[in-house]
Amino acid sequence: MSLHLLKLCVGAESLEDHREWIAHTLERKRRAGLPEEQLHTTRMVPKQRDALLQGGSLYWVIKGSIQGRQKLLDIRPFKDDEGINRCHLVMEPVLFATRPQPRRPFQGWRYLKASDAPADLSELGGQSIEFIEPAMRQELIELGLI
């Protein structure tokens, strides 16, 4: 069974906003001749690396609820310029919308069991509903219609 990470997506107003940021960051790296991979730097290195890399994802909390996920590709510990241990979480640059699941603010990241992870919106009812405008989608979810 996969293990996942949960992290606050600070600065993003919506899932679409985060998608635009990912695209902008990858384009900037491409223009600079850097590897086109999405990295997120964190201070703590996950101890359960092997479990996370066996199909795990990084679930993003945006505006108080889990709203999306990205597949984890690698976890790369390193020391920064000041000698402090840090970690790059390497993710697939595809952001999947998930069924919103409320979460309170927290610092750093948290482990998320596969059994507690929200389903992708595309998996609900076997049809993709990601095309629905986000506010309308949220209202439909709250009404229990999706």
Side-chain angles (χ1 to χ4, degrees):
M1 184 182 290
S2 297
L3 185 64
H4 306 290
L5 288 178
L6 185 62
K7 182 105 176 73
L8 295 182
C9 190
V10 178
E13 293 295 317
S14 66
L15 196 61
E16 289 70 23
D17 185 30
H18 191 47
R19 274 197 182 103
E20 290 173 13
W21 181 86
I22 291 168
H24 173 75
T25 301
L26 292 176
E27 177 62 20
R28 191 172 27 126
K29 286 182 173 188
R30 186 189 64 75
R31 288 183 182 173
L34 299 171
E36 292 180 52
E37 57 185 6
Q38 187 188 356
L39 304 174
H40 181 77
T41 305
T42 184
R43 190 172 60 88
M44 302 301 290
V45 179
K47 303 276 189 259
Q48 298 188 44
R49 181 182 189 276
D50 291 341
L52 290 166
L53 295 178
Q54 292 177 3
S57 291
L58 176 61
Y59 282 78
W60 291 107
V61 176
I62 301 172
K63 295 294 181 186
S65 67
I66 299 174
Q67 294 190 32
R69 71 171 182 88
Q70 291 178 272
K71 183 176 175 162
L72 283 168
L73 300 177
D74 199 5
I75 297 172
R76 298 181 190 151
F78 70 99
K79 285 192 188 239
D80 68 11
D81 295 339
E82 298 173 3
I84 298 171
N85 289 327
R86 300 213 183 266
C87 176
H88 282 311
L89 302 175
V90 183
M91 296 164 288
E92 188 174 87
V94 178
L95 186 59
F96 296 95
T98 63
R99 181 176 203 138
Q101 190 179 87
R103 288 285 190 222
R104 291 185 171 199
F106 57 90
Q107 290 186 334
W109 49 261
R110 300 286 182 266
Y111 288 114
L112 179 66
K113 295 177 189 173
S115 59
D116 295 334
D120 289 354
L121 284 182
S122 61
E123 294 175 3
L124 299 174
Q127 298 179 20
S128 177
I129 58 172
E130 201 170 336
F131 69 90
I132 300 173
E133 192 270 328
M136 171 76 74
R137 191 170 56 216
Q138 180 63 33
E139 190 170 334
L140 290 171
I141 288 168
E142 288 171 3
L143 291 171
L145 298 174
I146 56 174

